[in-house]
Amino acid sequence: MFKPLDPLLHSQLRLAIMSLLIGLEEADFTFIKEKTESTAGNLSVQLDKLEKAGYISIEKSFKGKRPLTTCKITSTGVKAFEEYVENLKNYIS
Amino acid sequence: MEKQLSSSESLALITEMIQKAKKEAAGDGSFQLLLWGWVITLCNFGHYFLAKSRYEMPYIVWLAVIPALGWSFAHEFKKRKASRIKTHLDDLLGQLWVAVFGGMVIVLAFMPALAFRHNPVILLLAAVGVFVTGAIIKDNSVKLGGLVLFLGSIIGFLLPVDEQYLVAGIAMVFGYLVPGYLLKNKFKSRV
């Protein structure tokens, strides 16, 4: 019996963001933007969706005079990601 | 419109992103090994040769540790400030070396109680630090460096005080400098 894949994660950019954050304690916005090769606007929208779902937490601060956005995966996010990968395995095998 | 992913595309994307994060997280990591490798190797050899030439205060060479400490802390602070990511391993490694450094300070504070045979004990603490660092960053050359330091400590315990400095100097070359340069080269070929 195939379980449906979490629609929030089954999207290119959001999955890329979660895959980056799963192995890190935290990462800043510019790092995620560079590695996912996304635009700042689109990335902001997708980060916002993930935050609203409780999958990531976002902290806004300042590094000198520059604004700094730091993202961190939450325990809910880790669980959702693990479930997604588990379900994905069923689709592939 | 968001791009719909097939199962295999999803899996490929996950793998690619995990690799990218891993690559960035691994960093160079050789700076501290090389800094301390050079400073402590030269101090040990300096102490040995000054003692052998019957210089009254061969321990004067250890003053070089003071600017090295400043450089080491400043580099770490700058690196962490500039880093765009933070990993669980960074904290673990940081705490390991704070504990090792604390142990060294305690040993050095009790040098007279140890009849100034503290050098092999310091090597032993460094051996634990280097070996565990190698295990954490999954690098066998660093782990091997730790084993060399353990061996240096054992040999040191069997020798008179002055000779302990010569052994420690050699152990530092193979325990810190060799794995440090290997790590630097691995990083260069990775990026």
Side-chain angles (χ1 to χ4, degrees):
Chain A
M1 176 72 182
F2 285 168
K3 279 188 189 169
L5 293 169
D6 183 343
L8 205 64
L9 293 182
H10 199 57
S11 112
Q12 192 168 20
L13 186 49
R14 289 194 296 268
L15 185 61
I17 296 167
M18 293 294 281
S19 306
L20 271 182
L21 292 177
I22 193 84
L24 301 171
E25 201 179 325
E26 58 183 45
D28 75 25
F29 186 86
T30 55
F31 172 81
I32 302 172
K33 184 174 162 286
E34 183 190 304
K35 299 296 171 192
T36 56
E37 294 168 20
S38 55
T39 61
N42 193 12
L43 182 59
S44 294
V45 172
Q46 304 311 329
L47 285 174
D48 194 45
K49 283 185 185 173
L50 289 170
E51 189 191 24
K52 278 191 179 128
Y55 288 4
I56 64 168
S57 64
I58 299 175
E59 203 187 291
K60 291 185 193 273
S61 59
F62 282 91
K63 197 177 199 173
K65 283 180 182 171
R66 288 185 182 172
L68 178 72
T69 304
T70 311
C71 306
K72 210 180 214 177
I73 195 162
T74 62
S75 51
T76 313
V78 172
K79 207 169 156 238
F81 185 81
E82 284 171 352
E83 264 175 34
Y84 178 85
V85 172
E86 204 52 45
N87 292 336
L88 198 61
K89 276 188 207 163
N90 293 331
Y91 279 90
I92 289 168
S93 58
Chain B
M1 213 25 216
E2 286 175 35
K3 191 192 166 201
Q4 278 306 304
L5 293 165
S6 71
S7 307
S8 50
E9 278 174 338
S10 289
L11 199 66
L13 180 64
I14 292 170
T15 315
E16 186 196 340
M17 287 300 142
I18 289 177
Q19 279 304 322
K20 279 187 180 177
K22 211 170 126 188
K23 205 166 158 183
E24 179 98 5
D28 183 344
S30 63
F31 177 83
Q32 298 289 354
L33 274 177
L34 292 177
L35 169 67
W36 289 108
W38 276 111
V39 171
I40 305 300
T41 300
L42 293 176
C43 285
N44 272 303
F45 286 150
H47 188 128
Y48 174 75
F49 288 114
L50 287 179
K52 284 292 164 187
S53 16
R54 303 199 176 275
Y55 181 67
E56 258 180 57
M57 299 186 293
Y59 47 82
I60 198 115
V61 291
W62 293 98
L63 285 175
V65 168
I66 298 168
L69 263 178
W71 194 4
S72 171
F73 280 119
H75 178 271
E76 208 53 31
F77 180 74
K78 225 169 105 183
K79 194 184 94 184
R80 288 190 181 220
K81 216 176 150 194
S83 176
R84 299 180 303 162
I85 57 165
K86 199 171 155 192
T87 69
H88 306 283
L89 294 187
D90 290 336
D91 279 346
L92 195 61
L93 280 171
Q95 284 178 46
L96 166 70
W97 283 100
V98 164
V100 169
F101 179 69
M104 289 178 179
V105 171
I106 293 170
V107 171
L108 292 173
F110 288 95
M111 283 189 291
L114 292 164
F116 295 96
R117 297 180 61 83
H118 52 275
N119 207 336
V121 186
I122 298 283
L123 269 190
L124 203 58
L125 288 167
V128 173
V130 171
F131 186 83
V132 177
T133 297
I136 292 173
I137 65 171
K138 293 188 177 140
D139 189 289
N140 284 335
S141 61
V142 176
K143 267 171 92 174
L144 206 63
L147 292 178
V148 171
L149 294 167
F150 275 117
L151 189 67
S153 168
I154 294 169
I155 297 171
F157 276 120
L158 302 170
L159 294 172
V161 172
D162 283 350
E163 271 66 27
Q164 288 178 351
Y165 289 99
L166 180 64
V167 171
I170 297 168
M172 288 300 293
V173 170
F174 293 101
Y176 270 67
L177 289 176
V178 172
Y181 280 111
L182 288 174
L183 212 57
K184 200 178 172 73
N185 284 337
K186 272 182 211 165
F187 178 71
K188 270 191 197 155
S189 62
R190 212 173 49 221
V191 290

